[in-house]
């Protein structure tokens, strides 16, 4: 018996050690699960949303020094709401109010802060009377924000605003303040979500360097910079819900087709069945879910047509800020397996951000993801809103096998201004999305949609004629000079303003490769 026990103890010890190591490895893969906070504002009990996330009610004032504001229920449930939680209850404030959230030990730490808004009548308060600002971590996130007007302009029933904040203290304070209580304005919020993130989610390595003009000087982004997520697109694929995101980060990835310029949509496709997405140390799984890298959009099979157009996206943004654009690439279909088979250029606002982009060369093979980041500066703040133009075009300087381009995913982040510590855009409502969003419309959207339908019918006929003319021209015309001379160019960018930010140049980049 003693001998058996002596043999059993070491085995139990080894088994315990292995299980511990497995648990540690699992915790590393899902490192963001710890420390997540979700508040269903205005609710008194816990509830679960459609993605399986548990939300705590705030009636017990768990995250505030005292109960403030008024708990209220929405007067109407829009059918496009993804879940009643957290949208059907709200905390309404007639004066400034602060939630105070504990954060994980260690400094600094970076988190996603998401604010959920469902513009609706709450009690005797009209939706249009909500005009307020939000600050968090010493940064102004929203100023004179009218959720109802913004939702109407975007043809949406609800809004989610996502920010990436660097936390240095033991708590994160989030303050909601009506713009002017004397005018009857109020503030409200339906849900607050805090998700700790890996440190390199937005602050990338290597340090970004200039991409235009060939200047190699490194241009780092300050570690304490706050970001706002403006766009997160699954290019060539369908929308990805928060529950299907990777790394337990609960991000939403939208369909990219509403932002494509003109009728040239290219070709969207999924990965070959025998291709496996192989994450790497520089591009781990939490960077983007497999569904992003497993779908793509290319220009199409015709080299002649591809050489005569740009695959272009138009993304409206607030002027007066720096923006970081993150491109996700992955070759996922045979026969693209070798170097110099598909090589292309990346343009941002008609500037060459990257020439001779070869995904196989950068990633190391088929199925291996690549992410690359570029920083751009927009027109001065007085311009209100402006457009970011992103375009791809074949690069034939190395005589590749295919004249084509590819993109799997695209994210756009706004950087705070350092002189004012602000992410707040203009007071006016945003520019409407380029096309209908597939029926996810808010109150008053039916009239806007019917008006767009009439215009769309007329525009569709005109577009068909124009496309026919373009292809006829492409067939009979001879291409002269350097490849790309027949490209449909995007508008010239506005001269760069002088901003208190990371740099005063137009474009610079950093890339994570194999």
């Amino acid at each position: 018996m003693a001998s058996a026990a002596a043999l059993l103890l070491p085995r139990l010890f080894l088994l315990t050690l292995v299980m511990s190591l497995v648990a540690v490895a699992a915790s590393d893969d899902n490192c963001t699960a710890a420390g997540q906070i979700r508040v269903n504002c205005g609710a008194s009990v816990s509830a679960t949303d459609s993605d399986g996330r548990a939300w705590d009610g705030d009636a017990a004032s768990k995250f505030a020094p005292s109960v403030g504001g008024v708990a209220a229920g929405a007067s109407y449930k829009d059918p496009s709401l993804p879940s009643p939680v957290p949208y059907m209850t709200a905390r309404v404030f007639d004066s400034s109010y602060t939630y105070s959230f504990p954060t994980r030990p260690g400094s600094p730490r970076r988190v996603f802060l998401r604010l959920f808004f469902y513009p609706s009548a709450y009690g005797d308060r009209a939706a249009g009377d909500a005009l307020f600002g939000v600050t968090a971590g010493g940064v102004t996130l929203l100023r004179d924000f009218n959720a109802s007007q913004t939702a109407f302009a975007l043809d949406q029933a609800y809004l989610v605003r996502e920010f990436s904040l660097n936390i240095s203290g033991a708590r994160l304070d989030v303050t909601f303040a009506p713009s002017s209580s004397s005018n009857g304005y109020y503030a409200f919020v339906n849900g607050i979500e805090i998700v700790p993130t890996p440190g390199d989610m937005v602050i990338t390595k290597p340090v970004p360097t200039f991409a235009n003009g060939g200047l190699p000087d490194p241009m780092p982004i300050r570690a304490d910079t706050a970001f706002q997520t403006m766009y997160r697109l699954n290019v060539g694929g369908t929308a990805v819900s928060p529950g299907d995101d990777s790394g337990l980060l609960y991000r939403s990835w939208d369909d990219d087709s509403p932002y494509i310029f003109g009728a040239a949509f290219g070709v969207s496709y999924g990965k070959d069945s025998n291709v496996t997405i192989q994450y790497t140390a520089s591009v781990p799984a939490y960077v983007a879910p497999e569904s992003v890298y497993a779908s793509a959009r290319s220009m199409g099979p015709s080299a002649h047509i591809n050489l005569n157009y740009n695959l272009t996206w138009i993304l409206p943004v607030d002027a007066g800020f720096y923006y970081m654009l993150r491109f996700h690439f992955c070759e996922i279909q045979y026969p693209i397996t070798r170097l110099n088979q598909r090589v292309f250029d990346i343009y941002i606002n008609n500037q060459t951000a990257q020439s001779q982009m070869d995904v196989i060369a950068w990633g190391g093979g088929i199925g291996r993801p690549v992410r690359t980041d570029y920083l751009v500066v927009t027109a001065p703040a007085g311009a209100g809103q402006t457009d970011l133009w992103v375009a791809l075009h074949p690069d034939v300087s190395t005589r590749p096998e295919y004249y084509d381009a590819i993109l799997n995913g695209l994210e756009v982040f706004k950087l705070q201004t350092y002189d004012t510590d602000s992410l707040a855009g203009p007071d006016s409502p945003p520019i409407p999305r380029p096309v209908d969003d597939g029926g996810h419309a808010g109150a008053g959207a039916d009239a806007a949609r019917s008006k767009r339908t009439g215009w769309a019918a007329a525009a569709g006929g005109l577009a068909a004629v124009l496309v026919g003319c373009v292809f006829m021209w492409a067939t009979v015309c001879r291409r002269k000079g350097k490849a790309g001379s027949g490209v449909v160019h995007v508008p010239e960018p506005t001269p760069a303003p002088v901003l208190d930010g990371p740099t005063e140049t137009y474009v610079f980049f950093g890339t994570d490769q194999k």
Side-chain angles (χ1 to χ4, degrees):
M1 289 293 293
S3 176
L7 292 173
L8 181 61
L9 286 176
R11 293 176 181 176
L12 288 175
F13 174 76
L14 289 174
L15 178 61
T16 303
L17 179 60
V18 169
M19 294 179 64
S20 299
L21 291 175
V22 170
V24 169
S27 66
D28 288 341
D29 291 339
N30 300 326
C31 59
T32 58
Q36 294 191 4
I37 296 173
R38 295 178 185 87
V39 180
N40 187 12
C41 300
S44 57
V45 296
S46 299
T48 302
D49 66 12
S50 58
D51 286 312
R53 291 175 291 183
W55 296 73
D56 294 324
D58 71 343
S61 190
K62 180 179 180 180
F63 303 111
S66 61
V67 176
V70 176
S75 59
Y76 166 74
K77 180 183 177 182
D78 191 282
S80 70
L81 288 178
S83 171
V85 179
Y87 296 101
M88 290 304 293
T89 61
R91 180 70 59 176
V92 178
F93 312 105
D94 292 321
S95 59
S96 179
Y97 184 78
T98 299
Y99 288 92
S100 187
F101 300 97
T103 57
R104 293 189 302 178
S107 179
R109 290 94 64 205
R110 187 162 285 275
V111 301
F112 278 140
L113 169 65
R114 299 189 183 107
L115 305 177
F116 297 75
F117 302 102
Y118 175 41
S120 175
Y122 291 101
D124 59 353
R125 297 174 174 85
D129 291 337
L131 186 70
F132 57 97
V134 181
T135 60
V139 178
T140 300
L141 307 183
L142 300 170
R143 182 178 57 247
D144 292 332
F145 176 63
N146 189 312
S148 177
Q149 193 175 20
T150 301
F152 181 80
L154 294 175
D155 200 8
Q156 297 175 346
Y158 61 95
L159 303 169
V160 181
R161 291 292 180 262
E162 180 184 275
F163 306 91
S164 176
L165 303 176
N166 189 73
I167 309 302
S168 57
R171 309 188 72 82
L172 173 63
D173 292 338
V174 183
T175 300
F176 299 83
S179 296
S180 174
S181 57
S182 61
N183 291 331
Y185 296 136
Y186 68 94
F188 81 99
V189 62
N190 299 89
I192 302 173
E193 182 179 36
I194 298 175
V195 176
T197 66
D200 64 345
M201 283 300 299
V202 288
I203 303 296
T204 61
K205 296 179 180 179
V207 174
T209 56
F210 286 107
N212 61 323
L215 299 177
D217 298 334
M219 299 296 293
I221 299 174
R222 279 175 30 180
D224 61 345
T225 301
F227 296 76
Q228 179 180 353
T229 304
M230 305 301 291
Y231 297 95
R232 183 177 283 124
L233 305 178
N234 183 17
V235 177
T238 59
V240 180
S241 67
D244 293 325
D245 190 28
S246 59
L248 297 179
L249 294 172
Y250 296 100
R251 296 162 294 187
S252 294
W253 298 77
D254 297 325
D255 172 20
D256 71 306
S257 58
Y259 305 100
I260 296 178
F261 174 68
F265 272 55
V267 176
S268 59
Y269 56 87
K271 73 178 183 68
D272 285 349
S273 58
N274 55 348
V275 172
T276 301
I277 303 301
Q278 306 170 58
Y279 289 102
T280 64
S282 59
V283 187
Y286 60 72
V287 168
E290 183 175 321
S291 52
V292 170
Y293 292 117
S295 60
R297 189 179 301 278
S298 71
M299 300 184 72
S302 173
H304 187 70
I305 293 176
N306 294 351
L307 286 172
N308 286 282
Y309 87 97
N310 288 337
L311 182 56
T312 303
W313 294 261
I314 304 177
L315 306 168
V317 295
D318 299 327
F321 292 88
Y322 288 89
Y323 290 88
M324 188 177 76
L325 286 74
R326 173 166 295 170
F327 291 73
H328 298 268
F329 298 104
C330 190
E331 291 289 3
I332 54 175
Q333 280 195 345
Y334 294 99
I336 307 295
T337 60
R338 304 186 308 275
L339 302 182
N340 203 40
Q341 286 188 285
R342 173 158 42 199
V343 183
F344 54 95
D345 298 331
I346 303 173
Y347 303 100
I348 302 175
N349 282 358
N350 213 23
Q351 298 279 323
T352 302
Q354 179 65 53
S355 60
Q356 299 182 359
M357 178 67 193
D358 187 329
V359 178
I360 291 292
W362 288 32
I366 189 170
R368 294 174 67 87
V370 172
R371 67 173 179 183
T372 177
D373 298 335
Y374 304 85
L375 194 73
V376 299
V377 61
T378 56
Q385 286 205 319
T386 187
D387 288 335
L388 284 178
W389 290 66
V390 174
L392 307 178
H393 185 76
D395 186 318
V396 301
S397 61
T398 61
R399 299 183 179 274
E401 184 175 350
Y402 302 99
Y403 291 172
D404 196 5
I406 183 179
L407 184 61
N408 304 74
L410 179 62
E411 297 177 272
V412 178
F413 304 100
K414 181 202 295 185
L415 280 66
Q416 74 171 85
T417 57
Y418 295 140
D419 54 342
T420 60
D421 292 329
S422 177
L423 279 165
D427 301 340
S428 58
I431 300 171
R433 299 176 72 170
V435 299
D436 195 289
D437 67 352
H440 297 288
D446 291 338
R449 187 183 296 109
S450 63
K451 185 183 293 184
R452 284 199 308 274
T453 302
W455 282 106
L462 179 60
V465 174
L466 291 176
V467 170
C469 292
V470 168
F471 287 133
M472 183 179 296
W473 170 84
T475 302
V476 301
C477 288
R478 202 177 217 185
R479 205 174 159 73
K480 297 180 180 181
K482 180 182 176 182
S485 60
V487 176
V488 181
H489 287 290
V490 297
E492 292 292 336
T494 306
V498 177
L499 297 179
D500 184 12
T503 180
E504 294 173 9
T505 189
Y506 269 101
V507 185
F508 63 82
F509 80 100
T511 304
D512 282 323
Q513 305 179 34
K514 61 180 179 179

